[in-house]
Amino acid sequence: MRKRMLVLLLAAAICMGGCGQRPGGTEPVANMEEDEEQKDSGAEQNRKEDGSDAASEGTDNTEGEDGNIVSGEPASGAEEEKGIVQAKGLAELYQENFPIGIALSGYILQNTEQYGQVILENFNSITCENEMKPDSLLDQAASQANLEDAYLHAAVHFDNCMPAVKFASEHGMKIRFHTLVWHSQTPKWFFTEDYTDEGRLVDRDVMLARMENYIADVLGYFQENYPGLVYAVDVVNEAFDVGDGDETGIRMNKNLWYETVGADYYYQAFVFARKYASKDMKLFYNDYGCMDKADLILEHLARAREEGLIDGIGMQSHLSTDDKIQHKFMLAVKKFCDAGYEVQATELDIGVKEDSDSAFLLQGRKYRSFFKNMKALQEEGYPVTGITVWGLNDDLSWRRDEKCLLFDGDMNPKNAYLGAMMDPSIPDVE
């Protein structure tokens, strides 16, 4: 059996470097999920949890013959007894459990010579941060130029997402499609008579036809040109919110889908997605704050579930170190699974409250708890089918100030990464 190098790094050194800029100037910050609800909440919802800040356990690291950093001998001298993980990265560590995904921006995909090795060593699934959202795929100019023919059938193009598609295809990765129907990042002109932002909104029948044709075109494109590449599709994103919803909690405010189609717009989207999706595309509903609105989500998706239109729930998992992962988040995972859905964590990041060694160690413990518990549920038979981390490093995160990702701005693995890797330097205590 071939030897595998140990991917273990000195936790204390990780935090000392901070998240400085690379030589040559400041990199652009990724344009992440821009819905107001997430910005207002900061992370998932209001959270409080007491957590002791333990000191980081250091290890002596040396450089292996292949250039990887390997751990020095543990105090006991028995690596297997100490439980040191032998894996090249996250994808290999969890290969028997579920895909490990990464959300990538266009900037990163244009600089794969800088980031490609880390991506390929740790992830086997890609989600586009923005390039597969409606405002990236819909083609306003082409729709206006042929308005008579395009009135019910808006034009689309796939130029913006091609770097992700090509990278995934070339490296044997899969794509998690995000997202078809969303109240945000769907241009207003798509809902108007003349495909302008100033035009009059169309009626329900016209918008349903446009929805169907859009979904058919997008899913059909990938089936025809890249069969088997897309394994999961976020059909509807963030349709339920009590604060911005109607009396039943269906999102109403600033939602042109609701205004044109009506309260059942999310159900209609699943009808069309099931009609046009290939059998290897799993259909998901995706949302934030799932720990606190699981019952609301289950209530509104019951009809789609009963009719076989939906396969799973995407729990965005924008968390903080205050969150109770084992004793709250995982209960919501179980609730969705028990209701007949598979579950994926689709946008994982865990923010810290301060820039300190103790805060980053706590972050590492939280990441360890998250990955450990999702793995345990999968091994117990719960249909947990994926974890996607929402961004590659802290400097390119939509939550940049909270330093919420696995790698710092210089691509050094943090305690967060070590926790996800089940490294023994990160205490197995949430």
Side-chain angles (χ1 to χ4, degrees):
M1 181 164 59
R2 69 183 180 88
K3 295 182 180 179
R4 306 176 186 272
M5 301 307 298
L6 305 178
V7 185
L8 303 174
L9 294 169
L10 181 59
I14 292 165
C15 300
M16 289 171 61
C19 297
Q21 298 174 0
R22 296 179 184 77
T26 303
E27 292 177 339
V29 177
N31 220 1
M32 306 297 292
E33 299 273 11
E34 297 176 350
D35 55 291
E36 297 176 358
E37 296 72 28
Q38 288 182 2
K39 291 181 180 178
D40 291 340
S41 64
E44 288 276 10
Q45 295 289 324
N46 294 325
R47 321 167 170 87
K48 290 183 180 179
E49 178 187 357
D50 294 330
S52 60
D53 295 333
S56 176
E57 299 178 9
T59 57
D60 292 330
N61 295 328
T62 58
E63 186 171 328
E65 59 185 12
D66 65 351
N68 289 331
I69 300 299
V70 297
S71 142
E73 286 295 321
S76 69
E79 293 181 353
E80 294 300 328
E81 291 180 5
K82 295 294 287 183
I84 295 180
V85 174
Q86 294 187 344
K88 289 183 178 179
L90 292 168
E92 182 174 312
L93 181 60
Y94 297 99
Q95 63 184 336
E96 301 299 325
N97 303 106
F98 35 64
I100 303 296
I102 182 69
L104 297 178
S105 66
Y107 170 81
I108 290 176
L109 288 163
Q110 292 167 8
N111 292 274
T112 53
E113 71 284 351
Q114 180 177 359
Y115 301 108
Q117 182 177 353
V118 173
I119 294 170
L120 295 175
E121 287 179 351
N122 288 283
F123 307 102
N124 46 27
S125 168
I126 292 176
T127 300
C128 289
E129 287 183 355
N130 290 294
E131 289 76 17
M132 290 185 180
K133 292 173 182 174
D135 60 359
S136 288
L137 300 183
L138 286 163
D139 190 330
Q140 183 179 20
S143 299
Q144 291 176 332
N146 192 24
L147 184 58
E148 183 176 352
D149 292 335
Y151 181 69
L152 299 178
H153 200 148
V156 295
H157 69 89
F158 299 89
D159 299 346
N160 295 326
C161 67
M162 273 302 103
V165 170
K166 291 179 180 178
F167 186 83
S169 299
E170 291 170 359
H171 296 285
M173 305 175 79
K174 298 289 187 179
I175 282 183
R176 196 175 188 288
F177 185 97
H178 178 75
T179 175
L180 287 172
V181 173
W182 189 26
H183 69 280
S184 182
Q185 288 185 252
T186 304
K188 182 180 179 181
W189 63 259
F190 185 45
F191 299 89
T192 66
E193 290 282 353
D194 57 358
Y195 289 133
T196 68
D197 288 337
E198 298 77 26
R200 182 168 57 89
L201 294 179
V202 299
D203 62 24
R204 172 183 170 89
D205 290 339
V206 171
M207 204 61 228
L208 280 174
R210 290 183 181 181
M211 177 193 283
E212 178 174 7
N213 287 322
Y214 175 72
I215 291 174
D217 285 349
V218 171
L219 298 185
Y221 174 83
F222 286 102
Q223 291 177 53
E224 180 178 350
N225 296 282
Y226 301 94
L229 180 65
V230 175
Y231 72 100
V233 178
D234 286 336
V235 177
V236 179
N237 196 43
E238 301 174 0
F240 313 124
D241 185 276
V242 174
D244 281 321
D246 60 17
E247 64 277 5
T248 68
I250 300 173
R251 183 181 296 278
M252 178 177 62
N253 294 341
K254 298 180 181 179
N255 186 356
L256 290 172
W257 285 114
Y258 188 103
E259 191 170 346
T260 55
V261 173
D264 66 337
Y265 78 92
Y266 65 91
Y267 166 79
Q268 299 296 337
F270 279 105
V271 171
F272 298 138
R274 181 60 78 200
K275 180 178 179 180
Y276 296 106
S278 59
K279 292 182 179 180
D280 56 357
M281 290 179 177
K282 294 295 186 73
L283 305 182
F284 281 78
Y285 173 77
N286 193 57
D287 212 336
Y288 63 91
C290 293
M291 291 186 295
D292 300 303
K293 58 182 180 182
D295 291 335
L296 178 66
I297 292 170
L298 290 173
E299 176 186 354
H300 286 301
L301 293 180
R303 180 184 175 189
R305 177 62 191 160
E306 290 169 0
E307 296 177 6
L309 305 177
I310 181 174
D311 298 301
I313 304 294
M315 300 177 67
Q316 288 184 10
S317 312
H318 295 298
L319 305 172
S320 82
T321 51
D322 284 341
D323 276 308
K324 296 179 174 66
I325 292 173
Q326 182 176 359
H327 299 297
K328 187 173 181 181
F329 186 93
M330 296 302 157
L331 294 180
V333 174
K334 290 181 179 180
K335 177 173 284 192
F336 289 129
C337 291
D338 289 341
Y341 299 88
E342 64 179 80
V343 171
Q344 295 181 2
T346 57
E347 304 180 21
L348 175 64
D349 49 21
I350 304 176
V352 298
K353 298 300 183 181
E354 61 183 40
D355 190 346
S356 68
D357 289 352
S358 61
F360 289 121
L361 180 59
L362 176 59
Q363 183 184 51
R365 287 159 47 193
K366 292 292 182 177
Y367 267 101
R368 178 172 184 139
S369 177
F370 192 96
F371 277 81
K372 173 186 174 181
N373 281 285
M374 292 288 275
K375 178 177 183 287
L377 289 179
Q378 188 273 333
E379 292 176 343
E380 291 172 20
Y382 288 92
V384 175
T385 59
I387 296 176
T388 294
V389 180
W390 199 253
L392 189 57
N393 73 44
D394 286 343
D395 281 3
L396 299 178
S397 170
W398 74 298
R399 299 169 66 188
R400 182 173 182 168
D401 292 342
E402 298 177 71
K403 297 178 172 60
C404 57
L405 295 174
L406 302 176
F407 299 90
D408 69 16
D410 294 317
M411 292 305 298
N412 297 310
K414 298 164 51 185
N415 282 332
Y417 178 80
L418 297 177
M421 285 292 294
M422 305 296 174
D423 188 289
S425 67
I426 305 301
D428 188 14
V429 179
E430 183 180 325

